[in-house]
Amino acid sequence: MRLSTPRLATILTVGAILAVAIPLAAARSMGGLATPGSWTTIADYTFNGRAGTGIDPSQWSYNTGQGIFGTGEVQDMTNSVANVHQSGQGTLAITALRGRTWTSGRIRTRDNTFAAPAGGELSVSASIRQPAGSGPGYWPAFWMLGPGQWPQDGEVDIMEDVDSISKHSAALHCGNLSTVNSDGTTGPCHEHTGLSSGLQPCPACQTGYHLYSVTIDRRDSSDEQIRWSVDGQQFFSVSESQVGTAAWTRAVDHGFSIILDLAIGGNYPDSVCRCTAPTAATVPGGTMSVKYVSVQQWRPLLGL
């Protein structure tokens, strides 16, 4: 991990704001008023290791096992460099392979404190190329997970695609599983689907790198928001008022860890392909490639 100039905004120091008029890029509009503040990069994960090497164990850990994640996946998540390795060209490769069984990889940041500060914002982004042309069952994902119980303590899905269909989706998972809604889902986030964008077209997402981002916005304490974007274009949002303060606070107002994984099979791919994936048409060797993961915070500058 390294600290660097933010990828999405320019850091503004207190001294600069005292010396010059506040640039519009540093002011966040809320309720008709512009609030001065600064973006700071708090984590910048890059993958510049030698070809064939594993992840940096000081920054990432492996989640391993088969059938333990509760989503019906069929692969065995391993810590093998065959499934998770650095390319030697500045990217991380997560590859799904088939031998006697399917294997793949799932990694998680050791830091689980990535949070939107009270009155501020958190932005988490990754440059990703999805697996290309590999068939039913592929399930690449970039997401954030809160501590403790699921879904009460929150899950923010930043990018998910299934079945190699050149799409993407986002979702918030929250609340309890005991209250049954009229549509058969449970709780304020309508589990197990969550409050989802649904699959959105992404025609070039399997042939090139795209920037998948989420922003948790706590500037308005009466109605916080989460917004999702691809290449800077917002496509989905969820607000506190949609789920209620108690469920939102427990799910959102705390630290998260960040997860990258490539699953095979499971509830989501099956529901989209209307099949039991993977099938005979599913080709092993599909790879999710990641250039970097960047985490930024925006904090209001007080007392000026």
Side-chain angles (χ1 to χ4, degrees):
M1 189 191 308
R2 60 184 172 81
L3 295 180
S4 67
T5 302
R7 299 178 188 275
L8 303 178
T10 301
I11 295 177
L12 296 172
T13 65
V14 174
I17 289 176
L18 289 172
V20 298
I22 302 168
L24 291 178
R28 311 295 284 174
S29 178
M30 184 176 66
L33 299 175
T35 302
S38 64
W39 280 106
T40 302
T41 296
I42 60 173
D44 196 3
Y45 296 95
T46 55
F47 305 102
N48 296 315
R50 292 181 292 106
T53 58
I55 55 175
D56 183 340
S58 69
Q59 298 178 1
W60 299 92
S61 62
Y62 296 95
N63 290 161
T64 59
Q66 195 276 325
I68 63 174
F69 304 117
T71 55
E73 303 166 22
V74 304
Q75 83 292 327
D76 183 13
M77 292 299 195
T78 82
N79 58 7
S80 169
V81 292
N83 295 121
V84 182
H85 66 269
Q86 298 186 68
S87 67
Q89 298 177 341
T91 61
L92 175 76
I94 304 180
T95 302
L97 300 172
R98 183 175 62 203
R100 288 181 299 173
T101 61
W102 281 90
T103 61
S104 192
R106 169 167 156 161
I107 63 171
R108 183 172 180 170
T109 57
R110 292 196 176 276
D111 193 336
N112 64 359
T113 64
F114 297 125
E121 297 175 86
L122 177 78
S123 180
V124 180
S125 302
S127 179
I128 297 172
R129 185 182 65 206
Q130 297 184 19
S134 303
Y138 274 80
W139 186 0
F142 163 45
W143 48 297
M144 299 160 60
L145 189 64
Q149 292 182 303
W150 186 95
Q152 291 94 323
D153 291 305
E155 174 183 328
V156 180
D157 298 328
I158 307 170
M159 185 284 293
E160 292 184 284
D161 187 19
V162 290
D163 301 333
S164 304
I165 56 176
S166 297
K167 293 188 177 183
H168 70 96
S169 65
L172 170 68
H173 296 271
C174 75
N176 61 70
L177 298 177
S178 58
T179 303
V180 180
N181 304 314
S182 59
D183 60 0
T185 61
T186 59
C189 277
H190 295 264
E191 302 303 341
H192 292 284
T193 303
L195 293 178
S196 174
S197 66
L199 286 164
Q200 305 288 314
C202 197
C205 288
Q206 291 176 305
T207 56
Y209 290 90
H210 294 268
L211 189 67
Y212 300 91
S213 305
V214 70
T215 298
I216 299 175
D217 186 346
R218 299 186 61 196
R219 289 174 298 134
D220 183 351
S221 61
S222 66
D223 194 18
E224 298 176 0
Q225 291 187 344
I226 303 177
R227 298 183 297 273
W228 288 262
S229 65
V230 176
D231 296 330
Q233 298 298 310
Q234 181 180 322
F235 67 92
F236 185 53
S237 67
V238 174
S239 65
E240 179 182 352
S241 59
Q242 291 178 250
V243 303
T245 298
W248 181 275
T249 298
R250 181 167 176 179
V252 175
D253 294 352
H254 54 66
F256 289 87
S257 57
I258 300 168
I259 299 174
L260 295 163
D261 77 88
L262 177 56
I264 295 292
N267 303 336
Y268 197 3
D270 288 359
S271 69
V272 174
C273 73
R274 299 184 184 276
C275 67
T276 300
T279 70
T282 307
V283 180
T287 296
M288 180 171 80
S289 182
V290 185
K291 283 186 176 180
Y292 63 82
V293 177
S294 182
V295 185
Q296 300 174 305
Q297 284 181 337
W298 185 88
R299 292 180 179 272
L301 296 178
L302 304 177
L304 295 181

